[in-house]
Structures are given as C-alpha cells and as structure tokens.
Amino acid sequence: MRFFEYESRRIVERAGISVTEYGFCTTPEQAREAAERIGGLVVIKSQVLTGGRMKAGGVKFADSPEEAESHAADILELEINGHRPRGVLVDPRAEIAQEYYAGVVWDGAAKCPLMLFSDMGGIDIEEVAAEHPDHVGRGHLVSRLIDPPDFRAKEGIAAAGVSGRELMRATPVLSRLARLFRDCDMTLAEINPLARLADGSFVALDAHMEMEDEAKPRQRELLEKVLEIDPGDTRL
C-alpha cells in the first residue's frame, strides 16, 4: 500500500522526525490560506501516487498567497500519468544548506531491513548508488523484532562520508526511520530530501512510504485514526 506525500509526512512526524510546516489542501482557497499561514515563499505540490510531478507541471513555486491559489487551481485539474490529484501540499521554500537521502528498505536477498544514507539527496538513490557508490552508506538490521540500535544508523551514515555535528544530528533521524519501518510494517520508508537547514537542523522535505498489504488489519489505528483514511479508499 502506497501513501500520498502528505500522509507520509504525518507518519514521519509521528515518529519524532522534524518536518517543515505544511498544509494539505483540496481547494485553491485552502492553498491560499495555507500560504498565508506559512508565510514567505512556498511550493505547491500535486498529491498523486505516481512519479514525474515536476516534469508534468505538478510542482510550482509561489511568491505570494494569491499565486499559491492560482497554481493550486491549475494543479488540481492536472492529470499526471493517468492519476488525478487527491489535493495539493503547500510547503515553505526552506533555506537549505545541504540535501541528504535517508531510507530503509526490505532486502529480500538478506531477508532483513537495509538502512541507506547518502549526502547526495534530492535525486534517485539508485542513480547515486550507480554513479557515486562511495556516497551511499548501508547497514543491515539483524531483525525486525528487536529495537534498531543507534550505532547501526551511525555506522551507515558515517560510511557515506558524513562526520562531526552532521553525523550526530542525522543519526537519530535514520534510527527513528528504522523504528518507523518496523513498527508500521513498511516495505519502504524514505526521506528524500532530508535537508540540513542554514541553522544546522535537519528536517524532512519529502517522504515516501509503502506498507505491507497484509499489515492493514494490524495498522488500523494508523490508517483510520492518524491518517484518517476512509475504509472505502480504493487502496484498501
């Protein structure tokens, strides 16, 4: 089961990982109100369960609430790869010092979760791994049954060439992502990009989550109470 970006943000935030202030909107008027609340420059992102949003025109930048409303009106009518948007996400344009990638995936060959970290965020991790393998750190978790140890996350991040204060601040992010992966029965949990802001703090700017289909009955509280997903949702 795949989640929309705004749902993935809620899951990440619930796990104790910082996110930027954002608003999920289903009307242009709501997008304007969200932009007013956030203040400053914002980005409007289509909420669809498919890739290629930027190339298709599903991501636009706004300098004012009025422009955010106008962009939202266009995006809400934009079909991308056969998908109509569920809504739009209004996000602030953060002052980014560097972008990273943090992810946990199920490694079928090793039959255990695999943590991934890169100091080259904002692009596909597969592309980074193929062209810049020394910029991707990896670390397996021995079991989904035990609490993921922080030192495993730290080792994986350090293997990507991250050190010092950045290493110390990134470690709890990857550790919490690993716990989220386990506790929520995910097959994929990634933050891309994970941003280091000008003040040194780390925040998730985008997130992608996929859950095991057979885990839905176990995760009813997350699905129905936290994410407020209707039981009639076609994904269920």
Side-chain angles (χ1 to χ4, degrees), residues 215-226:
K216 294 171 188 174
R218 294 193 299 273
Q219 298 293 340
R220 285 189 62 185
E221 180 179 358
L222 172 67
L223 296 174
E224 297 179 11
K225 295 183 178 180
V226 177

Side-chain angles (χ1 to χ4, degrees), residues 5 7 9 11 16 32 74 80 88-89 97 121 126 129 131 133 142 148 155-156 158 162 165 173 186 190 203 212 215:
E5 179 190 357
E7 295 169 336
R9 286 284 194 93
I11 297 172
R32 174 177 49 78
D74 294 337
I80 301 176
V88 296
L89 189 145
E126 293 85 358
E131 299 182 7
V142 177
E155 288 175 347
V162 180
R165 184 174 298 176
V173 175
M186 296 295 181
E190 66 177 10
V203 297
E212 297 175 8

Side-chain angles (χ1 to χ4, degrees), residues 25 30 35 45 119 127 140 152 174 183 204 211 213 225:
C25 310
Q30 289 176 353
K45 297 191 280 186
D119 61 349
E127 180 180 339
H140 281 101
R152 291 288 187 192
L174 187 56
D183 295 342
M211 177 189 291
D213 286 336
K225 295 183 178 180

Side-chain angles (χ1 to χ4, degrees), residues 15-230:
I17 299 171
S18 297
V19 301
T20 52
E21 184 178 6
Y22 63 92
F24 170 66
C25 310
T26 57
T27 68
E29 293 76 19
Q30 289 176 353
R32 174 177 49 78
E33 293 169 0
E36 289 173 346
R37 171 173 53 81
I38 292 170
L41 309 178
V42 296
V43 56
I44 316 299
K45 297 191 280 186
S46 176
Q47 296 302 284
V48 288
L49 294 177
T50 185
R53 292 182 301 177
M54 179 71 78
K55 291 181 180 179
V59 178
K60 294 188 176 183
F61 300 96
D63 297 337
S64 67
E66 292 74 23
E67 192 173 15
E69 180 178 15
S70 176
H71 288 333
D74 294 337
I75 292 174
L76 286 168
E77 297 299 322
L78 179 66
E79 188 175 284
I80 301 176
N81 296 330
H83 293 256
R84 296 281 297 182
R86 175 69 60 90
V88 296
L89 189 145
V90 180
D91 215 13
R93 276 189 265 173
E95 189 176 346
I96 301 171
Q98 185 168 350
E99 294 184 344
Y100 301 84
Y101 170 94
V104 184
V105 301
W106 178 254
D107 187 337
K111 292 183 169 50
C112 63
L114 173 66
M115 293 185 294
L116 298 167
F117 195 90
S118 176
D119 61 349
M120 297 178 66
I123 55 180
D124 290 339
I125 189 64
E126 293 85 358
E127 180 180 339
V128 178
E131 299 182 7
H132 307 279
D134 54 321
H135 285 268
V136 180
R138 299 171 174 83
H140 281 101
L141 297 175
V142 177
S143 171
R144 295 189 70 155
L145 302 178
I146 63 174
D147 204 33
D150 288 350
F151 77 86
R152 291 288 187 192
K154 188 175 183 179
E155 288 175 347
I157 297 170
V162 180
S163 61
R165 184 174 298 176
E166 286 70 35
L167 174 61
M168 300 305 295
R169 291 184 173 180
T171 295
V173 175
L174 187 56
S175 293
R176 290 168 185 167
L177 194 64
R179 294 186 181 95
L180 178 166
F181 181 91
R182 179 200 62 186
D183 295 342
C184 298
D185 293 301
M186 296 295 181
T187 57
L188 171 66
E190 66 177 10
I191 299 171
N192 190 26
L194 170 68
R196 174 166 57 86
L197 303 182
D199 63 4
S201 62
F202 279 71
V203 297
L205 297 187
D206 199 349
H208 182 192
M209 302 283 151
E210 295 184 14
M211 177 189 291
E212 297 175 8
D213 286 336
E214 58 270 25
K216 294 171 188 174
R218 294 193 299 273
Q219 298 293 340
R220 285 189 62 185
E221 180 179 358
L222 172 67
L223 296 174
E224 297 179 11
K225 295 183 178 180
V226 177
L227 302 179
E228 300 178 340
I229 295 177
D230 192 307

